[in-house]
Amino acid sequence: MASINFWFSIGSTYSYLTVMRLPAVAEAQGIEIGWRPFDVRRIMKAQNNTPFVGKPEKTAYMWRDIERRAAGYGIEAALPAPYPIANLALANQVALLGLREGWGVDYVQATYRRWFQDGQPAGEAPNLPDSLREIGQDPDAVLARAESPEIVAALEAETETARDLGIFGAPSFVVGHELFWGDDRLEDAIGWLRRHRL
Amino acid sequence: MASINFWFSIGSTYSYLTVMRLPAVAEAQGIEIGWRPFDVRRIMKAQNNTPFVGKPEKTAYMWRDIERRAAGYGIEAALPAPYPIANLALANQVALLGLREGWGVDYVQATYRRWFQDGQPAGEAPNLPDSLREIGQDPDAVLARAESPEIVAALEAETETARDLGIFGAPSFVVGHELFWGDDRLEDAIGWLRRHRL
């Protein structure tokens, strides 16, 4: 069982930092991570919580902050990336399918790289099919499965679970019943795990 | 000249953490801090950026996050504190006056303690007069000066300066031309200062 659940949406900007650094952090710390894609936009709309759209000053800061922190982590980034992306649900349906089939983390990293380093929006061509091909998946076959009623319903169910956990943004980390929001709270989440021996 | 300008509003919740820990951090690091009160609410309203009001899920998380981080810093807190406060401008006019007269930091810490430890809103009785008495100031005399046209205009001018710097929330730190937002970016601001020898 995962010690920390990492709730993310492809489409969230700060999730880029976590997606790129989490595997190495988890390995170094010996922590099992559950990668849990959900539809953060659906929750934000329902909660009237739109952090960046229509807020140019805050948006400008967000890109600069991500740029600085990516540099601090040694993560490449060409910013600003196209934002917001149009097909958030599809991008995350593919992630959910991939996590079930064992290629999810590779896809999430590949699609974020194309989005944040090459300027190609996630969830659409050319990013989506090229990312799938890069990790050895057939784009047409994957998209057929990712758009099936089963996967659509599974992402909606995960989104409901996220909402029930009190999640309102991405990335979020859940340790036991404790919620931590933001890439900059990953270390707090790990510290919580250690202190409570979960 | 200050190496880091600390832009804050009494009325901001996360500013509590910075207000309580900053003097010790600055002394340990040998850094000169400029304490710069401004009216964050005026900027947020103009930018349609209301982070918590009307957002119960995010607000609940904010209190829990502050509680955890305060505990990590060894800062006492009885949360949630009354929020939002009614007289944000007045609370910060007093701070601006106090910083000119040499008792500003003591007042800001005293009023935040009463707000976040005793549950008394800042900017009104009993918090405001009791905080002033505690630090050896006469409440009636201070309030007369704090509500003078000069101090009202000075806070508005500082708020305009903050907006020109790209500030959209509190607390914020400005190092040279670089902006850092949030108590959790204080260490980033100090790191920036060190790397750029400002």
Side-chain angles (χ1 to χ4, degrees):
Chain A
M1 210 185 78
S3 300
I4 297 181
N5 276 308
F6 166 45
W7 290 87
F8 67 98
S9 281
I10 302 169
S12 146
T13 56
Y14 277 98
S15 293
Y16 175 61
L17 298 174
T18 315
V19 161
M20 299 310 284
R21 74 190 186 99
L22 185 55
V25 171
E27 195 184 343
Q29 301 262 353
I31 296 171
E32 197 75 25
I33 304 288
W35 288 57
R36 307 287 292 266
F38 72 110
D39 186 341
V40 70
R41 192 176 289 165
R42 182 181 283 228
I43 293 181
M44 286 179 156
K45 277 187 180 164
Q47 297 182 352
N48 188 31
N49 177 23
T50 49
F52 300 117
V53 173
K55 301 181 174 68
E57 297 85 358
K58 198 175 171 191
T59 301
Y61 173 81
M62 176 266 288
W63 291 119
R64 178 64 179 140
D65 188 48
I66 291 177
E67 185 175 49
R68 283 189 310 231
R69 292 184 74 90
Y73 293 137
I75 299 169
E76 200 182 313
L79 305 178
Y83 182 82
I85 65 167
N87 302 326
L88 189 148
L90 176 61
N92 290 287
Q93 286 160 217
V94 174
L96 191 148
L97 176 75
L99 286 156
R100 287 186 176 189
E101 298 185 353
W103 47 267
V105 175
D106 288 343
Y107 155 73
V108 176
Q109 290 194 323
T111 200
Y112 258 109
R113 256 189 229 107
R114 281 182 163 75
W115 182 20
F116 270 63
Q117 297 178 14
D118 304 333
Q120 301 174 356
E124 64 189 63
N127 181 324
L128 183 47
D130 285 353
S131 296
L132 290 169
R133 269 187 289 268
E134 177 191 322
I135 61 165
Q137 295 296 318
D138 176 60
D140 292 339
V142 163
L143 285 176
R145 296 201 295 286
E147 293 181 308
S148 68
E150 185 198 344
I151 296 298
V152 169
L155 187 70
E156 287 174 2
E158 283 289 87
T159 303
E160 279 310 303
T161 300
R163 194 198 314 255
D164 291 345
L165 289 166
I167 290 173
F168 55 89
S172 290
F173 307 98
V174 177
V175 188
H177 296 286
E178 204 70 17
L179 171 64
F180 298 86
W181 171 53
D183 175 75
D184 52 12
R185 292 296 187 274
L186 172 57
E187 284 67 30
D188 283 8
I190 293 172
W192 187 271
L193 179 73
R194 297 273 178 249
R195 283 194 305 282
H196 296 80
R197 301 168 183 280
L198 289 169
Chain B
M1 211 184 79
S3 301
I4 297 181
N5 275 309
F6 165 45
W7 290 88
F8 67 98
S9 281
I10 301 168
S12 146
T13 55
Y14 277 98
S15 292
Y16 174 61
L17 299 174
T18 315
V19 161
M20 301 309 284
R21 75 191 185 98
L22 185 55
V25 171
E27 195 184 344
Q29 302 261 354
I31 295 170
E32 197 76 24
I33 304 288
W35 287 58
R36 307 287 292 266
F38 72 110
D39 186 341
V40 70
R41 192 175 291 166
R42 182 181 284 228
I43 293 181
M44 286 179 156
K45 277 188 182 166
Q47 297 182 351
N48 189 31
N49 177 23
T50 49
F52 300 117
V53 173
K55 302 181 173 68
E57 297 85 358
K58 198 175 171 192
T59 301
Y61 173 81
M62 176 266 288
W63 290 119
R64 178 64 180 140
D65 189 47
I66 291 177
E67 185 174 49
R68 283 188 312 230
R69 292 185 73 90
Y73 293 137
I75 299 169
E76 200 181 313
L79 304 179
Y83 182 82
I85 64 168
N87 302 326
L88 189 148
L90 176 61
N92 290 286
Q93 286 159 217
V94 173
L96 191 149
L97 176 75
L99 286 157
R100 288 186 175 188
E101 297 185 352
W103 46 266
V105 175
D106 289 343
Y107 155 72
V108 176
Q109 289 195 324
T111 200
Y112 258 110
R113 255 188 231 109
R114 281 183 163 74
W115 182 20
F116 270 64
Q117 297 178 15
D118 305 334
Q120 300 174 355
E124 63 189 62
N127 181 324
L128 183 47
D130 286 353
S131 296
L132 290 169
R133 269 188 289 268
E134 178 192 321
I135 61 165
Q137 295 296 317
D138 176 59
D140 291 339
V142 164
L143 286 176
R145 296 202 295 286
E147 293 180 309
S148 67
E150 184 196 346
I151 296 297
V152 169
L155 187 70
E156 287 174 2
E158 283 289 86
T159 304
E160 279 310 302
T161 300
R163 193 197 316 253
D164 292 345
L165 289 167
I167 290 172
F168 56 89
S172 291
F173 307 97
V174 177
V175 187
H177 295 286
E178 203 69 18
L179 172 64
F180 298 85
W181 170 53
D183 175 74
D184 52 13
R185 291 297 187 275
L186 173 57
E187 284 68 30
D188 284 7
I190 293 172
W192 187 271
L193 179 73
R194 297 274 178 249
R195 282 195 305 281
H196 296 79
R197 302 170 184 278
L198 291 168

